Amino acid sequence: MAYKKKQNGTSFYEFIPKSEELENWTEMITTNIYHKNLRYSVNEYIEIMKKSWSKSCEKPSFNDINESFQNGYKTKTVMMNCKLSKVTKKEETMYLKAIKGADSFYAVQKAFTGKTNKEQENKSVEYLKTVKVCDSRLFTCP
């Protein structure tokens, strides 16, 4: 874990490989939990993220990957690419999954700096398919 912060009802967590620094990473998983939920739908959240990404990026591109229901919760997964990030000064690609839970809203990101390849894309999409919200108060939750 490279970064952790709780602020205004939101928890932020960033994970990078042990051999890397937060200022110079090549791979990162980020989890944001918006406790007490957000008023946004997953589609609205994704659109807000696309606008934010575009502001910090030269030549942004986006690809909607999947929209579904998992354990009764609406999800949406999207890929965002930036040819030159104003933050990292590198090319960045991020796979983002948004989940609208009953009590909280969740966003999980798998990101890379530098050029990505088809294997990284496939593994990222497969990883995000495994990310689910399950309400332990319900009998449907394993």
CSV table of all heavy atoms in Angstrom, one decimal, residues 1-7 9-16 22 27-35 45 94 96 104-111 127:
chain,number,residue,atom,x,y,z
A,1,MET,N,0.8,-1.2,0.0
A,1,MET,CA,0.0,0.0,0.0
A,1,MET,C,0.9,1.2,0.0
A,1,MET,O,1.7,1.4,0.9
A,1,MET,CB,-0.9,0.0,1.2
A,1,MET,CG,-1.9,1.2,1.2
A,1,MET,SD,-3.0,1.3,2.6
A,1,MET,CE,-3.8,-0.2,2.6
A,2,ALA,N,0.7,2.1,-1.0
A,2,ALA,CA,1.6,3.2,-1.2
A,2,ALA,C,0.9,4.5,-0.6
A,2,ALA,O,1.6,5.5,-0.3
A,2,ALA,CB,1.9,3.4,-2.6
A,3,TYR,N,-0.4,4.5,-0.5
A,3,TYR,CA,-1.2,5.7,-0.1
A,3,TYR,C,-2.5,5.2,0.5
A,3,TYR,O,-3.2,4.3,0.0
A,3,TYR,CB,-1.4,6.6,-1.3
A,3,TYR,CG,-2.1,7.9,-1.0
A,3,TYR,CD1,-1.5,8.9,-0.4
A,3,TYR,CD2,-3.5,8.0,-1.3
A,3,TYR,CE1,-2.1,10.1,-0.1
A,3,TYR,CE2,-4.1,9.2,-1.0
A,3,TYR,CZ,-3.5,10.2,-0.4
A,3,TYR,OH,-4.1,11.4,-0.1
A,4,LYS,N,-2.9,5.9,1.6
A,4,LYS,CA,-4.2,5.7,2.2
A,4,LYS,C,-4.7,7.0,2.8
A,4,LYS,O,-3.9,7.7,3.5
A,4,LYS,CB,-4.0,4.6,3.3
A,4,LYS,CG,-5.2,4.3,4.1
A,4,LYS,CD,-4.9,3.3,5.2
A,4,LYS,CE,-6.0,3.1,6.2
A,4,LYS,NZ,-5.7,2.1,7.2
A,5,LYS,N,-5.9,7.3,2.6
A,5,LYS,CA,-6.5,8.5,3.1
A,5,LYS,C,-8.0,8.4,3.3
A,5,LYS,O,-8.7,7.8,2.5
A,5,LYS,CB,-6.2,9.7,2.2
A,5,LYS,CG,-6.7,11.0,2.7
A,5,LYS,CD,-6.3,12.1,1.7
A,5,LYS,CE,-6.7,13.5,2.2
A,5,LYS,NZ,-6.3,14.6,1.4
A,6,LYS,N,-8.5,8.9,4.4
A,6,LYS,CA,-9.9,8.9,4.7
A,6,LYS,C,-10.3,10.4,4.9
A,6,LYS,O,-9.7,11.0,5.7
A,6,LYS,CB,-10.3,8.1,5.9
A,6,LYS,CG,-10.1,6.6,5.6
A,6,LYS,CD,-10.6,5.8,6.8
A,6,LYS,CE,-10.4,4.3,6.5
A,6,LYS,NZ,-11.0,3.4,7.5
A,7,GLN,N,-11.2,10.8,4.1
A,7,GLN,CA,-11.6,12.2,4.1
A,7,GLN,C,-13.0,12.4,3.7
A,7,GLN,O,-13.4,11.9,2.6
A,7,GLN,CB,-10.7,13.0,3.2
A,7,GLN,CG,-11.0,14.5,3.1
A,7,GLN,CD,-10.0,15.2,2.1
A,7,GLN,OE1,-8.9,14.8,1.9
A,7,GLN,NE2,-10.5,16.2,1.4
A,9,GLY,N,-15.9,11.2,4.3
A,9,GLY,CA,-16.7,10.1,4.0
A,9,GLY,C,-16.2,9.2,2.9
A,9,GLY,O,-17.0,8.4,2.3
A,10,THR,N,-15.0,9.5,2.4
A,10,THR,CA,-14.4,8.7,1.3
A,10,THR,C,-13.1,8.1,1.8
A,10,THR,O,-12.3,8.8,2.4
A,10,THR,CB,-14.2,9.6,0.1
A,10,THR,OG1,-15.4,10.2,-0.3
A,10,THR,CG2,-13.7,8.8,-1.1
A,11,SER,N,-12.9,6.8,1.4
A,11,SER,CA,-11.6,6.1,1.7
A,11,SER,C,-10.9,6.0,0.4
A,11,SER,O,-11.5,5.5,-0.6
A,11,SER,CB,-11.9,4.8,2.3
A,11,SER,OG,-12.5,4.9,3.5
A,12,PHE,N,-9.6,6.3,0.3
A,12,PHE,CA,-8.8,6.2,-0.8
A,12,PHE,C,-7.6,5.2,-0.5
A,12,PHE,O,-7.0,5.4,0.5
A,12,PHE,CB,-8.2,7.5,-1.2
A,12,PHE,CG,-9.1,8.6,-1.5
A,12,PHE,CD1,-9.5,9.5,-0.5
A,12,PHE,CD2,-9.7,8.8,-2.8
A,12,PHE,CE1,-10.4,10.5,-0.7
A,12,PHE,CE2,-10.6,9.8,-3.0
A,12,PHE,CZ,-11.0,10.7,-1.9
A,13,TYR,N,-7.3,4.3,-1.4
A,13,TYR,CA,-6.2,3.4,-1.2
A,13,TYR,C,-5.5,3.2,-2.5
A,13,TYR,O,-6.2,3.0,-3.6
A,13,TYR,CB,-6.7,2.0,-0.8
A,13,TYR,CG,-7.5,2.0,0.5
A,13,TYR,CD1,-8.9,2.1,0.4
A,13,TYR,CD2,-7.0,2.0,1.7
A,13,TYR,CE1,-9.7,2.1,1.6
A,13,TYR,CE2,-7.7,2.0,2.9
A,13,TYR,CZ,-9.1,2.1,2.8
A,13,TYR,OH,-9.9,2.1,3.9
A,14,GLU,N,-4.2,3.3,-2.5
A,14,GLU,CA,-3.4,3.1,-3.7
A,14,GLU,C,-2.3,2.0,-3.5
A,14,GLU,O,-1.6,2.1,-2.4
A,14,GLU,CB,-2.7,4.4,-4.2
A,14,GLU,CG,-3.7,5.4,-4.7
A,14,GLU,CD,-3.0,6.7,-5.1
A,14,GLU,OE1,-1.9,7.0,-4.8
A,14,GLU,OE2,-3.7,7.4,-5.8
A,15,PHE,N,-2.2,1.1,-4.4
A,15,PHE,CA,-1.3,-0.1,-4.3
A,15,PHE,C,-0.4,-0.1,-5.5
A,15,PHE,O,-0.8,0.0,-6.6
A,15,PHE,CB,-2.0,-1.4,-4.2
A,15,PHE,CG,-3.0,-1.5,-3.0
A,15,PHE,CD1,-4.3,-1.0,-3.1
A,15,PHE,CD2,-2.5,-2.0,-1.8
A,15,PHE,CE1,-5.2,-1.1,-2.1
A,15,PHE,CE2,-3.4,-2.1,-0.7
A,15,PHE,CZ,-4.7,-1.6,-0.9
A,16,ILE,N,1.0,-0.2,-5.2
A,16,ILE,CA,1.9,-0.3,-6.3
A,16,ILE,C,2.9,-1.5,-6.0
A,16,ILE,O,2.9,-1.9,-4.8
A,16,ILE,CB,2.7,1.0,-6.5
A,16,ILE,CG1,3.5,1.4,-5.2
A,16,ILE,CG2,1.8,2.1,-7.0
A,16,ILE,CD1,4.4,2.5,-5.4
A,22,LEU,N,5.8,5.9,-5.3
A,22,LEU,CA,4.6,6.5,-5.6
A,22,LEU,C,4.8,7.6,-6.7
A,22,LEU,O,3.9,7.9,-7.5
A,22,LEU,CB,3.9,7.1,-4.4
A,22,LEU,CG,2.5,7.5,-4.5
A,22,LEU,CD1,1.6,6.4,-5.0
A,22,LEU,CD2,1.9,8.0,-3.2
A,27,GLU,N,2.7,0.5,-12.4
A,27,GLU,CA,1.4,-0.2,-12.3
A,27,GLU,C,0.8,0.1,-10.9
A,27,GLU,O,1.5,0.2,-9.9
A,27,GLU,CB,1.7,-1.7,-12.3
A,27,GLU,CG,0.6,-2.6,-12.4
A,27,GLU,CD,1.0,-4.1,-12.6
A,27,GLU,OE1,2.1,-4.4,-13.1
A,27,GLU,OE2,0.1,-5.0,-12.3
A,28,MET,N,-0.5,0.4,-10.9
A,28,MET,CA,-1.2,0.8,-9.7
A,28,MET,C,-2.6,0.3,-9.7
A,28,MET,O,-3.3,0.3,-10.7
A,28,MET,CB,-1.2,2.3,-9.6
A,28,MET,CG,-1.8,2.8,-8.3
A,28,MET,SD,-1.9,4.7,-8.2
A,28,MET,CE,-0.2,5.1,-8.0
A,29,ILE,N,-3.0,-0.1,-8.5
A,29,ILE,CA,-4.5,-0.4,-8.2
A,29,ILE,C,-4.9,0.6,-7.2
A,29,ILE,O,-4.3,0.8,-6.2
A,29,ILE,CB,-4.7,-1.8,-7.7
A,29,ILE,CG1,-4.3,-2.9,-8.8
A,29,ILE,CG2,-6.1,-2.0,-7.3
A,29,ILE,CD1,-4.3,-4.3,-8.3
A,30,THR,N,-6.0,1.3,-7.6
A,30,THR,CA,-6.6,2.3,-6.7
A,30,THR,C,-8.0,1.9,-6.3
A,30,THR,O,-8.8,1.5,-7.2
A,30,THR,CB,-6.6,3.7,-7.4
A,30,THR,OG1,-5.3,4.0,-7.8
A,30,THR,CG2,-7.2,4.7,-6.5
A,31,THR,N,-8.4,2.0,-5.1
A,31,THR,CA,-9.8,1.7,-4.6
A,31,THR,C,-10.3,3.0,-3.9
A,31,THR,O,-9.6,3.5,-3.0
A,31,THR,CB,-9.8,0.5,-3.7
A,31,THR,OG1,-9.3,-0.6,-4.3
A,31,THR,CG2,-11.2,0.2,-3.2
A,32,ASN,N,-11.4,3.4,-4.4
A,32,ASN,CA,-12.1,4.6,-3.7
A,32,ASN,C,-13.5,4.0,-3.2
A,32,ASN,O,-14.2,3.5,-4.0
A,32,ASN,CB,-12.4,5.7,-4.7
A,32,ASN,CG,-11.1,6.3,-5.2
A,32,ASN,OD1,-10.0,6.2,-4.6
A,32,ASN,ND2,-11.2,7.0,-6.3
A,33,ILE,N,-13.7,4.3,-1.9
A,33,ILE,CA,-15.0,3.9,-1.4
A,33,ILE,C,-15.7,5.2,-0.9
A,33,ILE,O,-15.2,5.9,0.0
A,33,ILE,CB,-14.9,2.9,-0.2
A,33,ILE,CG1,-14.1,1.7,-0.7
A,33,ILE,CG2,-16.2,2.5,0.3
A,33,ILE,CD1,-13.7,0.7,0.4
A,34,TYR,N,-16.8,5.5,-1.5
A,34,TYR,CA,-17.6,6.6,-1.1
A,34,TYR,C,-18.7,6.1,-0.2
A,34,TYR,O,-19.7,5.7,-0.6
A,34,TYR,CB,-18.2,7.3,-2.4
A,34,TYR,CG,-17.2,7.7,-3.4
A,34,TYR,CD1,-16.8,6.8,-4.4
A,34,TYR,CD2,-16.6,9.0,-3.3
A,34,TYR,CE1,-15.8,7.2,-5.3
A,34,TYR,CE2,-15.6,9.3,-4.2
A,34,TYR,CZ,-15.2,8.5,-5.2
A,34,TYR,OH,-14.3,8.8,-6.1
A,35,HIS,N,-18.4,6.2,1.1
A,35,HIS,CA,-19.3,5.8,2.2
A,35,HIS,C,-20.6,6.6,2.2
A,35,HIS,O,-20.5,7.8,1.8
A,35,HIS,CB,-18.6,5.8,3.5
A,35,HIS,CG,-17.4,5.0,3.6
A,35,HIS,ND1,-17.3,3.7,3.7
A,35,HIS,CD2,-16.1,5.4,3.5
A,35,HIS,CE1,-16.1,3.2,3.7
A,35,HIS,NE2,-15.3,4.3,3.5
A,45,TYR,N,-21.0,8.8,-12.9
A,45,TYR,CA,-19.7,8.8,-12.3
A,45,TYR,C,-18.6,8.6,-13.4
A,45,TYR,O,-17.6,9.3,-13.4
A,45,TYR,CB,-19.6,7.7,-11.3
A,45,TYR,CG,-18.2,7.6,-10.6
A,45,TYR,CD1,-17.9,8.4,-9.5
A,45,TYR,CD2,-17.2,6.7,-11.0
A,45,TYR,CE1,-16.7,8.4,-8.9
A,45,TYR,CE2,-16.0,6.7,-10.4
A,45,TYR,CZ,-15.7,7.5,-9.4
A,45,TYR,OH,-14.5,7.4,-8.8
A,94,MET,N,-5.8,3.4,-17.9
A,94,MET,CA,-6.5,3.1,-16.7
A,94,MET,C,-7.8,2.3,-17.1
A,94,MET,O,-8.5,2.7,-18.0
A,94,MET,CB,-6.9,4.3,-15.9
A,94,MET,CG,-7.8,3.9,-14.7
A,94,MET,SD,-8.2,5.3,-13.7
A,94,MET,CE,-9.2,6.3,-14.8
A,96,LEU,N,-11.2,1.2,-15.3
A,96,LEU,CA,-12.0,1.6,-14.2
A,96,LEU,C,-13.3,0.9,-14.1
A,96,LEU,O,-14.0,0.8,-15.1
A,96,LEU,CB,-12.2,3.1,-14.3
A,96,LEU,CG,-13.3,3.8,-13.4
A,96,LEU,CD1,-12.9,3.7,-11.9
A,96,LEU,CD2,-13.6,5.2,-13.8
A,104,SER,N,-22.9,2.2,-0.2
A,104,SER,CA,-21.7,2.9,-0.6
A,104,SER,C,-21.5,2.8,-2.1
A,104,SER,O,-22.1,2.0,-2.8
A,104,SER,CB,-20.4,2.3,0.1
A,104,SER,OG,-20.5,2.5,1.5
A,105,PHE,N,-20.6,3.7,-2.7
A,105,PHE,CA,-20.3,3.6,-4.1
A,105,PHE,C,-18.8,3.3,-4.2
A,105,PHE,O,-18.0,3.8,-3.4
A,105,PHE,CB,-20.5,5.0,-4.7
A,105,PHE,CG,-20.5,5.0,-6.2
A,105,PHE,CD1,-21.6,5.0,-6.9
A,105,PHE,CD2,-19.3,5.1,-6.9
A,105,PHE,CE1,-21.6,5.1,-8.3
A,105,PHE,CE2,-19.2,5.1,-8.2
A,105,PHE,CZ,-20.4,5.1,-9.0
A,106,TYR,N,-18.5,2.4,-5.1
A,106,TYR,CA,-17.1,1.9,-5.2
A,106,TYR,C,-16.5,2.1,-6.6
A,106,TYR,O,-17.2,2.0,-7.6
A,106,TYR,CB,-17.1,0.4,-4.9
A,106,TYR,CG,-17.8,0.0,-3.6
A,106,TYR,CD1,-19.1,-0.2,-3.6
A,106,TYR,CD2,-17.0,-0.2,-2.5
A,106,TYR,CE1,-19.8,-0.6,-2.4
A,106,TYR,CE2,-17.7,-0.5,-1.3
A,106,TYR,CZ,-19.0,-0.7,-1.3
A,106,TYR,OH,-19.6,-1.1,-0.1
A,107,ALA,N,-15.2,2.5,-6.6
A,107,ALA,CA,-14.5,2.7,-7.8
A,107,ALA,C,-13.2,2.0,-7.7
A,107,ALA,O,-12.4,2.3,-6.7
A,107,ALA,CB,-14.3,4.1,-8.2
A,108,VAL,N,-12.9,1.0,-8.6
A,108,VAL,CA,-11.6,0.3,-8.6
A,108,VAL,C,-10.9,0.6,-9.9
A,108,VAL,O,-11.5,0.4,-10.9
A,108,VAL,CB,-11.8,-1.2,-8.3
A,108,VAL,CG1,-10.5,-1.9,-8.3
A,108,VAL,CG2,-12.5,-1.4,-7.0
A,109,GLN,N,-9.6,0.9,-9.8
A,109,GLN,CA,-8.9,1.2,-11.0
A,109,GLN,C,-7.6,0.4,-11.1
A,109,GLN,O,-6.9,0.2,-10.1
A,109,GLN,CB,-8.4,2.7,-11.0
A,109,GLN,CG,-9.5,3.7,-10.8
A,109,GLN,CD,-9.0,5.1,-10.5
A,109,GLN,OE1,-7.8,5.4,-10.7
A,109,GLN,NE2,-9.8,6.0,-10.0
A,110,LYS,N,-7.3,-0.1,-12.3
A,110,LYS,CA,-6.0,-0.8,-12.6
A,110,LYS,C,-5.4,0.1,-13.6
A,110,LYS,O,-5.9,0.3,-14.7
A,110,LYS,CB,-6.3,-2.2,-13.1
A,110,LYS,CG,-5.1,-2.9,-13.6
A,110,LYS,CD,-4.3,-3.5,-12.4
A,110,LYS,CE,-3.2,-4.4,-13.0
A,110,LYS,NZ,-2.4,-4.9,-12.0
A,111,ALA,N,-4.2,0.7,-13.3
A,111,ALA,CA,-3.6,1.7,-14.2
A,111,ALA,C,-2.1,1.3,-14.5
A,111,ALA,O,-1.5,0.6,-13.7
A,111,ALA,CB,-3.6,3.1,-13.5
A,127,TYR,N,-9.3,-9.1,-14.2
A,127,TYR,CA,-9.2,-8.7,-12.8
A,127,TYR,C,-10.4,-8.0,-12.3
A,127,TYR,O,-11.0,-8.3,-11.3
A,127,TYR,CB,-7.9,-7.9,-12.5
A,127,TYR,CG,-7.9,-7.2,-11.2
A,127,TYR,CD1,-7.8,-8.0,-10.0
A,127,TYR,CD2,-8.1,-5.9,-11.1
A,127,TYR,CE1,-7.8,-7.4,-8.7
A,127,TYR,CE2,-8.2,-5.2,-9.8
A,127,TYR,CZ,-8.0,-6.0,-8.7
A,127,TYR,OH,-8.1,-5.4,-7.5
